[in-house]
């Protein structure tokens, strides 16, 4: 199990993760660090637990706002999809039409061949 050192709020923390999960751990740590950096800049040196708690709460608040927005957008999409005027009906061509067109094409080719033959003998 790999152990990485991540930096959050200017402090290094050893963190273990599953093989192959290192990228996700680094990305999550970077998000937490992005919240911790302004806290450290505004308040100076904070106790580790308070810095991590505040950064985590700020990140959780952003996540909750995004989840609310996603819920609202999903509801809007469902509403738009349920409206009949927004549906596009694509007509299906019956197989008989395709067969009839194929027969007409075959007849046209046969006629063209007869015309060519008639021109060749005249």
């Amino acid at each position: 199990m790999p152990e990485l050192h991540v930096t959050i709020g200017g402090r290094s923390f050893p963190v273990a993760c599953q093989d192959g999960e290192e990228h996700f751990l680094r990305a999550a740590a970077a998000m937490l660090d992005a919240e911790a950096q302004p806290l450290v800049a505004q308040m100076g040196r904070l106790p580790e637990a308070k810095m991590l708690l505040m950064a985590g709460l700020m990140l959780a608040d952003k996540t909750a706002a995004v989840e609310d927005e996603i819920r609202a957008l999903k509801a809007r999409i469902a509403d738009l999809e349920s409206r009949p005027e927004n549906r596009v009906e694509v007509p299906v061509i019956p197989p008989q039409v395709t067969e009839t067109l194929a027969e007409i094409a075959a007849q046209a080719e046969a006629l063209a061949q007869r015309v060519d033959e008639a021109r060749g003998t005249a």
Side-chain angles (χ1 to χ4, degrees), residues 99-115:
E99 292 167 6
T100 303
L101 289 174
E103 288 174 15
I104 292 170
Q107 289 174 2
E109 287 177 17
L111 285 172
Q113 186 176 2
R114 281 197 279 178
V115 168

Side-chain angles (χ1 to χ4, degrees), residues 85-116:
E85 66 269 11
N86 290 332
R87 293 182 188 259
V88 175
E89 302 263 342
V90 178
V92 177
I93 299 173
Q96 300 89 343
V97 172
T98 305
E99 292 167 6
T100 303
L101 289 174
E103 288 174 15
I104 292 170
Q107 289 174 2
E109 287 177 17
L111 285 172
Q113 186 176 2
R114 281 197 279 178
V115 168
D116 286 343

Side-chain angles (χ1 to χ4, degrees), residues 45-58:
R45 187 129 175 106
L46 294 169
E48 182 178 288
K50 186 170 186 172
M51 176 196 61
L52 292 173
L53 173 65
M54 292 298 294
L57 288 172
M58 291 169 60

Side-chain angles (χ1 to χ4, degrees), residues 4-15 48 51-52:
L4 303 174
H5 284 270
V6 296
T7 302
I8 299 170
R11 297 181 186 149
S12 181
F13 298 92
V15 184
E48 182 178 288
M51 176 196 61
L52 292 173

Side-chain angles (χ1 to χ4, degrees), residues 36-91:
Q37 287 296 335
L39 289 171
V40 171
Q42 288 174 357
M43 299 179 180
R45 187 129 175 106
L46 294 169
E48 182 178 288
K50 186 170 186 172
M51 176 196 61
L52 292 173
L53 173 65
M54 292 298 294
L57 288 172
M58 291 169 60
L59 195 55
D61 182 56
K62 285 183 178 180
T63 302
V66 169
E67 288 174 351
D68 287 346
E69 185 176 358
I70 288 171
R71 260 190 301 282
L73 289 171
K74 283 182 177 180
R76 177 81 172 123
I77 289 169
D79 178 52
L80 290 172
E81 287 177 339
S82 69
R83 293 182 184 175
E85 66 269 11
N86 290 332
R87 293 182 188 259
V88 175
E89 302 263 342
V90 178

